[in-house]
DNA sequence: CTGAAAGCGCTTACAG
DNA sequence: CTGAAAGCGCTTACAG
């Protein structure tokens, strides 16, 4: 026999489908005797509600889309894990969509493509979408942004204070006696706003400590993978005015790539060049030397994002957008010890 | 105005909803003139088909569930990325579900919990589900298994040859002149079948090369994270008969953890102890020393799994289950060089 | 090629 | 507390 429907259960239990629905959903008060009959029928038939029908009726699916650039970048993997966990605790299922940073894919889910209707809400870590795109968005479905890349928007967003974190990381390098500090990962173009904030913090640290900043020590990168950090570091080692004695990398992959280049060229870390990363991915803790890094509280980020999104699912959409700040700390390890 | 329906488009274009449906889905041949009218109406109203209604009617969703133990284990992250990409090329969307290896979560999706009905098919990398569980499964929805853990089952599965790969890795260690080779990651219990296959390969290599195998060099691990490899290596260094001169780790995280322990205890890699991993995750290539590892062709695994699943969505479910083998290679790097 | 209509399986106002 | 019935928006046999 094919999958049983509400009607089949109702017939078997000798009640109306309304009563079965009430029992299954735990809605209204149902007499004890009828409830028992319905539950028996449900068990006997192995009834499972048809979610597609329920979704159509209710107008929602219980699905949340999480849109991230690259799942195999450990920071996103770790954050995704946290979000999936929190969402499930709230009864929502997360659909992970990886965009590879392609604008069209981000738009498909976020701006309201065909797929968009399947999701009650969206959490987006924007890479390609511009402020202009988002301003044009039909705001009928809740959207929570991760990161402070797009500061001015009609949406909630969850972030850490990138300027302060970058400044703290840089000042730490001054604190351990370094004077010629490079930065790897600046992105002075649209879409690179997060990197720009970190560069701002890097500059602020120089000002606060009254250090001269050699602009040629700020290296620009399209992507934030190991290979990019390795290349950038190689270029810095060949700097005409000599290599830096410390490097602040805008994520841990860049930092690990940079360390690889340093060690393979016989440069000691941290004795000759100290290295700080950003994200606090698991692997950095087991690298040799272990990696000093800015550690955003991913669990809090996940919690704030899910919590805010779910709140929006209940509220009017025109409430004030909120900025939610998650804490971070500087995890000091071997790559800057000494 | 609220979201337009098929009927609204039909009214505006002056045709029946049937014709609109045909145009939207590109089904039947529609006269050029009517098609133009419909397309204009669709554009003017900004019509988007309601996927929940379509799903209910069609009885499928275009969603595939990918069930993995841990998303932030790089191997799964990289594989997930590959599967998402392949699925999208075929017009399917992947819902990633992370189970943390909890049997109940695996069952919820795989065995047919409420959520299961949302997915046309499932790709499962089993960790907790036993052969008995799977034998009991209602086979109405296609399921493709990843890995050869559950060899005897009525399901398709995609895997590499773990025995051969482990044997090749171990023989490579003999080839570079090592004689006392340890293994980290055995799991001699139900659910640890993949690890057991690797141990079998490890043993085979010893037999093939007529080497004596010291059973106490096979270390057992519940989990496969950095910390587990670090601990296991520490124990091996304190081995009563002296440390090994090479280690075969059952994944790259174990290997990186082991290398961390070796280096921090002043043991040189590979001079004193050579290390081989398994999975070929990105970070291993940038570690110092870079990691020799068994490199499964993740892209092929993804392709085979998606391809098989989609084939099943068309076929009768009682066709013979297929075993699909993906290639692998041994990527030789610094951790065994010399 | 096109239209009028049934029905996918559920939820929920409307009566009682 | 319960039942009979409408309707969510679509797809698709059935006629023409």
């Amino acid at each position: 026999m094919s999958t049983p429907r509400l009607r089949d259960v109702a017939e078997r239990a000798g009640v109306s489908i309304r009563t079965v629905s009430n029992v299954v959903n735990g809605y209204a008060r149902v007499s004890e005797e009828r409830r028992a009959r319905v539950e028996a029928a449900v068990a006997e038939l192995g009834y499972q509600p048809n979610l597609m029908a329920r979704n159509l009726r209710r107008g929602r699916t219980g699905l949340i889309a999480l849109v991230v650039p690259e799942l195999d970048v450990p920071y996103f993997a770790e954050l995704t894990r946290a979000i999936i966990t929190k969402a499930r605790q709230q009864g929502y299922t997360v659909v992970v969509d990886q965009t590879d940073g392609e604008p069209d894919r981000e738009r498909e889910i976020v701006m309201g493509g065909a797929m968009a209707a399947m999701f009650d809400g969206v959490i987006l870590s924007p890479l390609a979408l511009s402020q202009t795109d988002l301003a044009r968005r039909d705001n009928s479905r809740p959207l929570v942004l991760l990161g402070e890349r797009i500061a001015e928007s009609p949406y909630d967003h969850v972030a850490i204070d990138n300027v302060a974190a970058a400044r703290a990381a840089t000042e730490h390098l001054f604190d351990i006696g370094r004077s010629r500090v490079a930065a790897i990962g600046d992105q002075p173009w649209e879409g690179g706003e997060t990197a720009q904030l970190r560069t701002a913090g890097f500059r602020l640290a120089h000002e606060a400590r009254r250090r001269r900043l050699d602009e040629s020590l700020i290296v620009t990168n399209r992507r934030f993978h190991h290979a990019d950090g390795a290349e950038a570091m190689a270029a810095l080692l060949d700097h005409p005015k000599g290599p830096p004695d410390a490097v602040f990398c805008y994520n841990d992959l860049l930092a690990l790539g940079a360390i690889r280049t340093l060690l393979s060229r016989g440069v000691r870390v941290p004795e000759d060049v100290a290295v700080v990363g950003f994200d606090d991915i698991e692997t950095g803790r087991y690298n040799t030397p272990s990696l000093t890094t800015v550690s955003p509280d991913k669990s809090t980020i996940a919690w704030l994002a899910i919590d805010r999104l779910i709140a929006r699912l209940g509220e009017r959409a025109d409430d004030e957008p909120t900025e939610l700040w998650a804490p971070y700390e500087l995890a000091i390890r071997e790559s800057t010890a000494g």
Side-chain angles (χ1 to χ4, degrees), chain A:
Chain A
M1 148 168 183
S2 68
T3 33
R5 298 155 303 165
L6 212 47
R7 168 193 293 186
D8 300 317
V9 177
E11 274 175 14
R12 182 164 195 118
V15 299
S16 77
I17 59 171
R18 157 89 205 225
T19 301
V20 178
S21 180
N22 281 339
V23 169
V24 169
N25 292 297
Y27 280 160
R29 211 155 296 289
V30 179
S31 71
E32 204 41 62
E33 183 243 337
R34 299 176 103 81
R35 171 183 305 281
R37 290 223 307 274
V38 169
E39 280 167 355
V42 165
E44 283 162 26
L45 295 172
Y47 170 76
Q48 297 253 5
N50 180 317
L51 292 193
M52 296 182 270
R54 175 179 286 175
N55 291 341
L56 174 59
R57 245 340 285 239
R58 290 189 179 165
R60 49 197 180 77
T61 59
L63 296 178
I64 289 173
L66 172 63
V67 183
V68 293
E70 297 180 278
L71 253 185
D72 51 357
V73 168
Y75 175 75
F76 290 120
E78 294 180 9
L79 188 62
T80 296
R81 173 179 194 151
I83 288 178
I84 287 177
T85 303
K86 303 288 180 192
R88 175 158 28 208
Q89 288 166 4
Q90 304 293 323
Y92 284 86
T93 300
V94 173
V95 175
V96 183
D97 206 64
Q98 161 189 272
T99 62
D100 293 321
E102 290 180 23
D104 284 350
R105 296 210 188 144
E106 288 193 12
R107 278 192 201 100
E108 163 69 16
I109 299 292
V110 176
M111 301 298 290
M115 236 8 200
M118 291 274 291
F119 307 108
D120 294 345
V122 178
I123 298 175
L124 167 69
S125 181
L127 195 64
L129 282 194
S130 70
Q131 201 154 321
T132 333
D133 283 324
L134 282 174
R136 199 180 297 139
R137 180 176 185 267
D138 154 37
N139 199 354
S140 62
R141 244 166 247 282
L143 169 66
V144 172
L145 299 172
L146 297 181
E148 43 176 342
R149 222 207 76 200
I150 300 183
E152 292 302 313
S153 82
Y155 301 103
D156 301 308
H157 67 254
V158 180
I160 67 164
D161 184 337
N162 277 282
V163 174
R167 175 175 166 176
T170 311
E171 292 192 346
H172 166 62
L173 292 169
F174 292 139
D175 288 342
I176 60 167
R178 306 305 161 114
S179 54
R180 187 166 160 74
V181 180
I184 296 182
D186 191 29
Q187 302 189 317
W189 48 73
E190 182 175 350
E193 287 82 0
T194 299
Q196 289 162 32
L197 293 169
R198 293 178 190 175
T199 300
F202 179 74
R203 288 184 195 285
L204 266 180
H206 281 77
E207 287 169 26
R209 298 302 179 87
R210 304 182 181 284
R211 308 290 182 124
R212 207 179 53 80
L213 169 59
D214 180 350
E215 291 288 336
S216 67
L217 288 180
I218 301 179
V219 184
T220 279
N221 294 79
R222 276 275 152 204
R223 309 184 66 207
F224 277 24
H225 288 234
H226 295 91
D228 309 295
E231 271 175 41
M233 194 67 238
L236 283 170
L237 285 178
D238 297 331
H239 195 285
K241 294 181 198 157
D245 58 10
V247 193
F248 169 41
C249 300
Y250 291 8
N251 86 354
D252 285 351
L253 297 184
L254 290 172
L256 292 174
I259 289 177
R260 165 79 196 168
T261 295
L262 290 166
L263 296 179
S264 65
R265 301 255 299 242
V267 180
R268 291 169 305 163
V269 181
E271 292 82 353
D272 302 322
V273 178
V275 179
V276 178
F278 206 112
D279 285 351
D280 193 16
I281 64 177
E282 165 104 357
T283 304
R285 291 201 274 278
Y286 286 89
N287 192 61
T288 305
S290 58
L291 186 63
T292 294
T293 187
V294 172
S295 179
D297 184 340
K298 300 180 193 96
S299 180
T300 298
I301 293 173
W303 189 86
L304 288 173
I306 288 293
D307 196 55
R308 194 70 205 115
L309 188 65
I310 291 177
R312 283 288 179 204
L313 292 173
E315 293 171 21
R316 300 180 310 286
D318 52 276
D319 281 356
E320 279 297 292
T322 316
E323 303 202 0
L324 297 161
W325 298 98
Y328 66 88
E329 58 177 36
L330 186 64
I332 297 174
R333 306 208 181 98
E334 293 164 359
S335 68
T336 64

